Amino acid sequence: MTFPSPKAEAPAQRFQEATAAARTALEQLVAQANEAGWGTEEISVALLEAARFLNEANRKDPDPADDPAISDTPAKEQIGHGELYD
């Protein structure tokens, strides 16, 4: 599944485009979940919970790509902290 790129520049139009694209994607996802044996209501509630989780994670760390990689931490700093080299 591919998600379309935004066409509009204005925030209100982008929101409308994003909402329409998300609805289409969710309809497809719910249909696939139904085929796999999940009920519409249970998968819808699960999707809402997953969206809340992602939104909260984004609020806490808006750009996780900027975080240092674990491999960037020297081994000496990891010892005794329950990390890889304990």
Side-chain angles (χ1 to χ4, degrees), residues 13-80:
Q13 290 173 315
R14 287 176 63 94
F15 178 76
Q16 289 176 343
E17 284 181 36
T19 300
R23 183 177 181 155
T24 298
L26 286 173
E27 286 171 348
Q28 292 173 4
L29 186 58
V30 169
Q32 291 173 355
N34 290 157
E35 289 175 13
W38 295 99
T40 299
E41 185 163 346
E42 67 183 330
I43 199 65
S44 296
V45 170
L47 289 169
L48 284 170
E49 189 58 32
R52 281 189 196 108
F53 172 81
L54 291 174
N55 194 35
E56 182 63 27
N58 185 59
R59 248 187 257 138
K60 289 179 181 177
D61 191 359
D63 197 355
D66 288 344
D67 295 348
I70 291 173
S71 62
D72 291 347
T73 305
K76 191 177 0 179
E77 290 179 26
Q78 293 182 357
I79 295 174

